[in-house]
Amino acid sequence: MHVYRALPLLLSAPMLPFTTHAAASLLVDDAGITDAQQCQLESWVRHTDAGQEWTAVPACTLADTEWSLGLTRAPGEAARHWALGAKHVLVARAPRQWGLALSAGIGGNTYRPRADDWALNLPLTIAPGAQERVQLHLNLGWAKQGAVHGRTDGIGVEIGMTRRWSLLAETAQDAARERGSQLGLRRVLWPGASVDLLAGHLHRQRDSRWITLGFNLAAPP
């Protein structure tokens, strides 16, 4: 199942709530999109020392492009963060063992009508082997977040341990050069539905740890 990670600026506040797939609860995007004329919903709750952050990101693929709209409620903030994203596959993975996509997104909050934040990202996915049990995701992009702008990057790996269980590991850097990492598991519930459980932290801040529980729902392939 494709997992959406929309605007990869999840690492510091104030933040865009999503990559333009970080998605789902992940920081690093892959090079896939939802199937044509299909939709999906990715949602997660992230528990931090400041409280609980709730995010929902519906996405649909129309005209060979995945369109997404995400909303986040951050702890202690009256405003809601939002992000509008688009993602297009440049090189399809089949029949190759790699794929490349381009994503773009804008974002802001409900107290600020202008979309002052934006991000561009190139996700590359490499999946050696016919069964694709191991997938490597590489991201390189550029983003503006408030007064800060700069290069973004990330690397993530998904390892299928069994038919239903996968190991997830990733690290990503935002436009402010703040790096965060996550490690966790994904459990497939049924075709098109899965649950993620992840533990993460920011490298430069000892008290910036979080636990994320995500639920991903898409039309069965």
Side-chain angles (χ1 to χ4, degrees):
M1 183 184 77
H2 169 65
V3 178
Y4 177 86
R5 304 119 172 129
L7 301 171
L9 304 175
L10 290 160
L11 303 181
S12 59
M15 69 187 101
L16 283 176
F18 328 104
T19 69
T20 21
H21 206 342
S25 49
L26 301 178
L27 306 175
V28 180
D29 199 1
D30 64 16
I33 62 174
T34 309
D35 293 337
Q37 310 301 318
Q38 297 293 324
C39 296
Q40 65 178 12
L41 173 65
E42 304 216 351
S43 59
W44 62 92
V45 56
R46 178 171 288 115
H47 178 75
T48 69
D49 291 338
Q52 293 182 339
E53 174 188 301
W54 299 82
T55 299
V57 186
C60 296
T61 296
L62 301 171
D64 297 325
T65 301
E66 183 182 83
W67 305 91
S68 62
L69 174 63
L71 290 173
T72 285
R73 188 186 72 178
E77 296 185 22
R80 303 293 188 264
H81 295 274
W82 61 269
L84 177 64
K87 183 178 178 184
H88 183 76
V89 173
L90 302 177
V91 179
R93 281 170 51 182
R96 305 170 183 84
Q97 293 182 332
W98 63 278
L100 181 68
L102 173 65
S103 62
I106 58 174
N109 62 61
T110 53
Y111 282 1
R112 185 182 63 201
R114 296 188 307 171
D116 292 332
D117 302 327
W118 55 265
L120 295 172
N121 189 39
L122 278 171
L124 170 67
T125 293
I126 302 172
Q131 295 183 339
E132 298 187 354
R133 295 192 63 178
V134 177
Q135 298 184 51
L136 176 66
H137 308 299
L138 304 172
N139 287 188
L140 183 62
W142 193 270
K144 177 182 179 294
Q145 185 179 358
V148 177
H149 59 85
R151 192 190 73 182
T152 60
D153 60 69
I155 179 170
V157 62
E158 300 181 35
I159 302 174
M161 299 182 296
T162 68
R163 188 170 63 91
R164 292 187 177 272
W165 288 96
S166 296
L167 175 67
L168 309 172
E170 58 181 357
T171 181
Q173 178 177 272
D174 69 2
R177 303 188 64 81
E178 187 73 72
R179 181 164 294 279
S181 298
Q182 292 193 133
L183 178 67
L185 295 170
R186 172 172 299 143
R187 161 74 174 182
V188 175
L189 302 177
W190 61 82
S194 64
V195 173
D196 296 343
L197 181 61
L198 299 149
H201 72 283
L202 295 179
H203 291 202
R204 296 181 182 177
Q205 303 178 30
R206 293 183 179 180
D207 58 348
S208 60
R209 299 182 181 276
W210 63 80
I211 297 292
T212 300
L213 178 65
F215 179 66
N216 316 305
L217 180 63

